[in-house]
Every structure is written in structure tokens, then in C-alpha cells.
Amino acid sequence: MTKSYKVVGIGNAIIDILTYVDDEFLKKNNIKKGVMNLISSDRSKELLKKIKVSKKVAGGSAANTIVGLSQLGLDTSYIGKVNNDHLGKFFTDELNNNHVTFNNFSNTIFNNLATGHCIVLVTPDGERTMNTYLGITEFLTKDDVDIDILNNSEWIYLEGYRYDGVDSQLAFELAINETKINGGKIALSLSDPFCVERHRKKFLDIIENGIDLIFCNEKELMSLTEELNLNSALKKCTEYSCEVVCTVAEKGVMIKKEDSWINVPTDDVKIVDTTGAGDLFATGYLYGIINGHDSKRSAFFANQCAGQVIQILGCRLDSQNLSNLI
């Protein structure tokens, strides 16, 4: 049976607010560089007063991946939670304008939680430091999951960040079960090493019970396996039954096929901003395997997409530039 969607993403519905800062700004404001920091509403307001916004995008890790797939011509949908406020409308309009099915906005109940947003601080070396106020997206529940959409998707793509919250974990479990029952496949992004630390046991449980594909970088893989170096982490995760795709910065990507690894190198490029690199990498890889390419070719597409997005500010490419890479 032909399904309506190639990929459905489930994750944080977040507005990315991007700005350039120097390392001194991070030190002065006691911000740890290069990771995702969860912040309060008050902290968000404080930081917003101190920066000059360069760009605003309807983001969130999984949403970036899904928009990329839609730009490449795949039928996609997204499941996330926004509130009925101006940021929620901005998020909804941007996804819909990119031909991603997303209709949570009209179903959301007013409350005192704003639509989530992430203040992305980009330093001169291109590193991005994320300061995320989750807002209402933290309270994604199984009631927000559209079963009909899951039943009509070939793949679901799960964002590890969204595992913060018991109700969201139940939503993930429902999504995994419904997808597997209907013959779909499941990809999981580990998102962040600290996210893995918070949820290691649960991640390992769902990896053992139905995940088909893991996306991660070397720090996330080391956190998952509790190993101190990449080689040990690679060796340990050959125990997993699923495919593992691990980016290793300028060395490209390592792909686990059964009990061995293959390396697909990448080109050196000038880094402007690493925001969205992993997200667009997943776009390229999923596009490849969904269209019948092998892992090496899919990784080539993925490296091309990631390499292009790190040369601009922000987490999106326009559809023409993205299509030219594939």
C-alpha cells in the first residue's frame, strides 16, 4: 500500500533566534559553549535584551530535517506543540509554506506558556551555543500525536531532545508502536550528549525494541556507550541491531553495517555557523535511503547538505540550492 508521507518528524516546535557574539559574551553571561542549555522564560527575556537578532527561523532539530526533505520533494508531516501566539503562528506558517503538513496551531489551548524558542549564539569560529526555552513544546503528549498520519508514513524521525518530559516519552512510545504495527521504519537522532546522559537507559531500551536507524555525532555516541574514546564507542555499539550513522566532523561519517564500520569522507569547507549541520545531514541521508541509494551514496548526499548549511547563518537552505546538492 502506498503511504501518504515518506517521513513524519516528531520533536520540539522551536523558533530559532540567531545572533553573532564573541567568546567573551559567553564567559560574561556564564554560558557553556557548544552545547544546548535549557533556560527559563526569565533567562530568555534577559538574553534577548542583550543581543541583536540576525535571523529568525521556525526550527527545532527534527523540523529542520523535515523541511529539508520537503524541499527535496518528499511528502512530509510534523508533530510538535506550539501555542496560539505570534511565534506559534510564525512556526505554523513557515512549515506550511514549505509544504510540510502541520496543523497543531488551531488545536492549542491558551495558557501562560509561550511557544518555545532557542537563542542561538554563533561565535567567530562558527560554533553555535543554544539557549532553549521549551515553553509549551515541553508538554507534547500522546493526544498531540495524529495516529492517522503515523499509519500513513514510511518513516518517522524522532528528535532526542523531545525526550525531556514524561508525557513526551509516552507520545514517543505511542508513535513507535503505531509505526511498527503498520510496517513503518524509525530513525532516532540522539541530539546532544547531555540529552543522552539524561535519558541513556530509555534510549537504549527503545534502540533495543524497534529503532532502525540512529543519527549521532561522536560525543553523543560516546555518551550513549559510556566509552571515553570514539574507537571504543564504535566497537561497543556493534552490539546494536540497528544501523548507526555517526558524524565525525572533518573526518566525515562512520556507518555501522551489521558488525563492521565504513567511513565516508567529507570535503573541507569554511565554517560560518554549525547550526543545523546534523539536521541537514539527516535530511540528505534519509533522502538517499528512501530513494533506494546505498549507505555510502546516502552519506555523500548527507555530507553535501551539512557542508552547505555550515557555510551560511542559520539552519535552512533554499530549495534550489538543496536540490542542486543531490
Side-chain angles (χ1 to χ4, degrees):
M1 182 183 73
T2 302
K3 296 190 175 183
S4 302
Y5 300 104
K6 293 296 184 182
V7 189
V8 173
I10 305 179
N12 285 323
I14 296 284
I15 307 298
D16 287 334
I17 301 169
L18 295 106
T19 185
Y20 291 110
V21 300
D22 55 23
D23 288 291
E24 184 60 31
F25 181 91
L26 300 181
K27 292 177 183 177
K28 187 175 179 180
N29 289 279
N30 195 28
I31 300 170
K32 188 169 184 177
K33 183 176 178 178
V35 299
M36 193 277 284
N37 307 284
L38 290 175
I39 61 174
S40 66
S41 176
D42 288 343
R43 175 63 163 166
S44 169
K45 292 173 184 176
E46 175 191 343
L47 289 177
L48 286 172
K49 289 178 181 178
K50 296 179 178 180
I51 65 169
K52 180 180 179 181
V53 176
S54 298
K55 196 171 187 178
K56 188 168 67 172
V57 182
S61 177
N64 295 334
T65 299
I66 294 300
V67 168
L69 288 167
S70 179
Q71 289 175 326
L72 289 170
L74 300 189
D75 292 321
T76 62
S77 181
Y78 190 69
I79 296 171
K81 198 177 187 79
V82 298
N83 209 340
N84 203 343
D85 54 21
H86 73 283
L87 288 179
K89 187 175 188 307
F90 179 90
F91 186 95
T92 302
D93 289 347
E94 185 161 324
L95 261 64
N96 291 166
N97 290 338
N98 279 286
H99 309 293
V100 177
T101 301
F102 179 77
N103 58 8
N104 178 264
F105 180 73
S106 60
N107 299 324
T108 306
I109 300 171
F110 280 102
N111 57 38
N112 61 353
L113 292 170
T115 293
H117 48 276
C118 178
I119 303 167
V120 183
L121 306 175
V122 184
T123 41
D125 58 0
E127 185 63 85
R128 84 278 188 271
T129 300
M130 296 176 288
N131 300 270
T132 304
Y133 165 67
L134 291 174
I136 200 168
T137 196
E138 185 175 4
F139 298 96
L140 181 79
T141 73
K142 59 184 180 62
D143 294 333
D144 298 306
V145 175
D146 190 321
I147 301 300
D148 290 336
I149 287 178
L150 293 175
N151 292 345
N152 281 287
S153 182
E154 294 181 13
W155 280 83
I156 62 170
Y157 179 71
L158 304 174
E159 177 187 318
Y161 281 135
R162 190 53 270 127
Y163 230 70
D164 288 311
V166 174
D167 288 339
S168 295
Q169 292 172 21
L170 295 175
F172 266 35
E173 290 171 11
L174 174 65
I176 291 169
N177 292 337
E178 288 293 330
T179 301
K180 298 302 278 189
I181 287 170
N182 288 279
K185 294 186 175 182
I186 301 162
L188 169 69
S189 168
L190 295 185
S191 293
D192 181 270
F194 295 105
C195 177
V196 176
E197 283 184 21
R198 291 193 294 272
H199 305 296
R200 184 180 295 109
K201 185 179 185 304
K202 289 185 180 292
F203 279 176
L204 289 171
D205 285 344
I206 62 174
I207 288 168
E208 185 178 339
N209 292 296
I211 299 298
D212 296 282
L213 172 61
I214 298 171
F215 288 105
C216 60
N217 62 31
E218 54 191 297
K219 290 181 180 179
E220 292 155 7
L221 190 66
M222 289 162 59
S223 180
L224 182 69
T225 58
E226 298 184 90
E227 296 292 338
L228 298 178
N229 62 71
L230 178 60
N231 287 337
S232 297
L234 294 173
K235 183 177 180 180
K236 186 168 183 178
C237 81
T238 56
E239 302 167 4
Y240 306 157
S241 59
C242 61
E243 183 173 353
V244 180
V245 179
C246 179
T247 58
V248 284
E250 69 278 358
K251 297 177 183 177
V253 56
M254 300 295 296
I255 305 169
K256 185 184 84 68
K257 303 294 289 184
E258 298 178 352
D259 60 352
S260 62
W261 290 86
I262 59 174
N263 174 243
V264 179
T266 191
D267 298 326
D268 288 332
V269 297
K270 181 181 179 181
I271 299 173
V272 173
D273 168 23
T274 56
T275 307
D279 307 334
L280 268 293
F281 178 92
T283 289
Y285 196 87
L286 286 169
Y287 178 87
I289 60 175
I290 286 169
N291 283 281
H293 296 284
D294 63 18
S295 296
K296 283 188 176 181
R297 187 62 177 166
S298 299
F300 171 78
F301 294 152
N303 283 335
Q304 289 288 101
C305 293
Q308 189 71 19
V309 80
I310 64 176
Q311 296 180 68
I312 64 168
L313 177 65
C315 52
R316 296 279 168 79
L317 299 171
D318 66 55
S319 57
Q320 187 61 51
N321 286 343
L322 192 56
S323 297
N324 289 341
L325 299 173
I326 301 297

